[in-house]
Amino acid sequence: MYFGSVKFFKHLIYTVFFGWLAIATFLAVFFGVKYGLEAKKNAEIATAANAELDNINIPDGTTVEQLFLIMTAKGYSSQEILDIISSTDPQTLEDYIVAYAEENPGLFGEMISAGASVEDTSAEYTKLYPDLYADDPPAEFKEDDGTIYLTFDDGPSANLSDILYILNKYDIKATFFFCGGEDEISGERMKAVADAGHTIGIHSISHDYEKIYESVESYLADFYDTYKNVYEATGVKPQIFRFPGGSINNYNRLTYKQIIAEMTRRGFVYYDWNVSGEDAVHDADWTSIYNNVLTGIENNTSDKAIVLLHEKQQTVYVLEDVIDKLIADGYHFGQLDNTVKPINFSYRD
């Protein structure tokens, strides 16, 4: 699995370093002129460090900061670690430099982006879909303590009726981030969710990450198609949404800030998650989903747990047992609305 692997940390390690190094040092590393480092020395450092990384047994849950400490404990400086990355994976480094420049406009000007630029078309996309605005944007978010928010992505599916049956049995209201569906049965399923009083949010009608996150215009087009589909089926105008893949992912590094800004300007609120059942992975089963949810909630340090689940058959099998355990442990459940303070990802998550 790429996420959490050594390769993943190797690609991401320098996102932490950017905040620790002086601007001058960063620029010098990028352009390969600091202290006149020779190519031979860089290659030797990279070879040695990659051998070290390949031999490091990184336990689950290791953070980027912890990996940094491992490398520095073995004698590598921040300067050398950046050299390693630049010599072994220059394209990834360039991609992150562009993203970093976007996060820090004005710090480096045009130089830091090395000629790359992100086109600002806000004057155009703000005029698109004039009816695509939240009806009642929140003035402020409310705080809550110890609430569990069950959320289900990628529906409606054939498993939805079983999920609704279980939720109704325990009188629990949940949140469904729908992809929509233009056929009659999909419309009936979504309406059943609305009629049962659950919250409906927007997800993505296409789930084509490369297309959706290509630009703000592309994202708005997908969102609008999903929004129309859900509204026509349910009569509900969703006020909240969830980004496919989460608000920050490998596909939207160059566009996520503009997309978030535009959706926020339109009054919509987005929700990531801080607990995941990992029920959509190919080898998910009762045990893995049960343990992922309960362990995630137990280790959660936030004032609430937003649990990511999907409308999968294996999720149906385990859902009632998860609910029983959480109730026994004293937790209570709620449904998201646009007044609940969001859980949002960042590059440090």
Side-chain angles (χ1 to χ4, degrees):
M1 185 175 179
Y2 176 69
F3 183 79
S5 67
V6 172
K7 182 178 180 182
F8 171 80
F9 286 117
K10 286 164 67 179
H11 283 177
L12 292 186
I13 190 171
Y14 47 89
T15 63
V16 176
F17 302 153
F18 285 145
W20 296 344
L21 297 178
I23 294 174
T25 302
F26 173 82
L27 288 173
V29 171
F30 178 67
F31 291 105
V33 297
K34 177 66 176 175
Y35 304 131
L37 286 172
E38 299 176 357
K40 180 179 179 180
K41 179 180 179 181
N42 287 343
E44 291 173 350
I45 292 173
T47 300
N50 277 291
E52 293 276 12
L53 283 173
D54 290 340
N55 292 326
I56 293 173
N57 182 21
I58 301 177
D60 292 341
T62 299
T63 66
V64 175
E65 290 89 345
Q66 290 167 338
L67 184 58
F68 171 75
L69 293 175
I70 292 172
M71 292 295 292
T72 53
K74 291 181 175 293
Y76 294 99
S77 68
S78 297
Q79 176 79 39
E80 290 172 336
I81 296 172
L82 283 176
D83 287 335
I84 292 163
I85 298 166
S86 63
S87 63
T88 57
D89 199 347
Q91 183 57 54
T92 300
L93 178 62
E94 182 176 345
D95 290 344
Y96 272 89
I97 288 169
V98 172
Y100 186 73
E102 281 194 87
E103 293 180 353
N104 298 272
L107 281 182
F108 308 116
E110 296 180 358
M111 180 183 294
I112 191 65
S113 63
S117 63
V118 178
E119 185 180 1
D120 180 12
T121 57
S122 59
E124 297 298 325
Y125 60 65
T126 56
K127 301 174 185 176
L128 297 173
Y129 315 111
D131 56 336
L132 187 61
Y133 284 81
D135 286 342
D136 188 21
E140 59 182 359
F141 295 119
K142 64 185 180 185
E143 301 288 346
D144 51 6
D145 183 20
T147 303
I148 306 296
Y149 296 96
L150 298 178
T151 70
F152 298 87
D153 284 9
D154 297 354
S157 73
N159 297 311
L160 178 58
S161 60
D162 290 330
I163 293 172
L164 290 179
Y165 173 81
I166 294 170
L167 294 174
N168 181 66
K169 177 179 178 180
Y170 289 88
D171 193 25
I172 292 173
K173 301 302 181 185
T175 304
F176 292 82
F177 291 100
F178 280 145
C179 295
E182 297 179 353
D183 56 292
E184 183 177 352
I185 187 63
S186 293
E188 291 174 354
R189 289 168 177 165
M190 289 189 288
K191 190 173 189 308
V193 170
D195 291 344
H198 300 285
T199 300
I200 294 178
I202 297 298
H203 199 38
S204 168
I205 200 167
S206 71
H207 253 246
D208 185 344
Y209 287 18
E210 291 186 356
K211 182 178 179 181
I212 294 170
Y213 294 124
E214 183 179 9
S215 65
V216 180
E217 291 87 346
S218 296
Y219 183 82
L220 286 172
D222 182 89
F223 189 99
Y224 187 65
D225 286 346
T226 317
Y227 184 90
K228 280 197 311 179
N229 198 287
V230 171
Y231 175 59
E232 290 172 0
T234 66
V236 173
K237 293 183 175 181
Q239 309 294 296
I240 67 174
F241 69 104
R242 172 169 285 161
F243 287 102
S247 60
I248 297 179
N249 57 68
N250 286 335
Y251 296 88
N252 69 1
R253 288 174 298 172
L254 299 182
T255 57
Y256 80 97
K257 280 202 166 186
Q258 298 97 315
I259 294 172
I260 289 174
E262 178 60 13
M263 296 307 297
T264 301
R265 187 187 70 81
R266 291 173 182 256
F268 295 99
V269 181
Y270 71 97
Y271 291 84
D272 290 315
W273 57 91
N274 54 5
V275 175
S276 175
E278 298 291 337
D279 56 341
V281 301
H282 75 278
D283 57 349
D285 57 19
W286 187 98
T287 301
S288 67
I289 300 170
Y290 185 87
N291 289 336
N292 285 334
V293 172
L294 294 179
T295 301
I297 291 174
E298 180 181 352
N299 295 335
N300 180 42
T301 59
S302 177
D303 59 354
K304 58 181 167 290
I306 297 181
V307 183
L308 171 64
L309 296 167
H310 298 78
E311 294 184 18
K312 301 292 185 180
Q313 187 64 59
Q314 57 266 29
T315 309
V316 174
Y317 294 149
V318 72
L319 181 59
E320 191 164 357
D321 296 310
V322 166
I323 292 173
D324 278 332
K325 175 60 175 172
L326 291 174
I327 291 175
D329 288 345
Y331 290 102
H332 59 277
F333 298 86
Q335 63 190 117
L336 294 176
D337 61 46
N338 65 352
T339 67
V340 176
K341 186 177 181 180
I343 295 294
N344 296 149
F345 291 159
S346 73
Y347 268 117
R348 296 295 298 275
D349 290 332

